[in-house]
Amino acid sequence: MATVTNWIDHLNKPADQVAGAIYPGAGSSEGLLVILAIIVWVGWHVLTSKSESEELERLARKRHGPNDHRSNITDW
């Protein structure tokens, strides 16, 4: 990895003279973070779907009628 001593000269160079990225680990850690984010995102959707299905099944077992909301039943 090259050490930059003068940023003005470094940034004014043509693109073909600049040797790679100016920060270490370019491309490696970002790829791992994207993969981790996708895993967390899919996992969150699976857990949310499971918990919502359980809640809807629990409410369906109570067999509320169409006019029960008028009686102010909780967990509606």
Side-chain angles (χ1 to χ4, degrees):
M1 183 173 78
T3 303
V4 177
T5 56
N6 187 350
W7 282 101
I8 296 173
D9 291 339
H10 179 76
L11 294 174
N12 287 330
K13 287 182 184 178
D16 58 347
Q17 293 181 3
V18 177
I22 57 173
Y23 60 95
S28 60
S29 59
E30 288 88 353
L32 293 174
L33 288 175
V34 167
I35 291 170
L36 179 66
I38 290 172
I39 291 170
V40 168
W41 180 64
V42 169
W44 179 81
H45 279 290
V46 168
L47 292 174
T48 303
S49 174
K50 182 186 279 188
S51 68
E52 287 178 356
S53 295
E54 289 172 359
E55 183 178 352
L56 290 174
E57 288 175 8
R58 181 182 57 84
L59 289 174
R61 282 192 299 265
K62 289 186 176 184
R63 296 185 184 251
H64 289 295
N67 293 323
D68 285 348
H69 67 282
R70 295 180 183 169
S71 301
N72 197 15
I73 295 177
T74 57
D75 285 330
W76 182 249

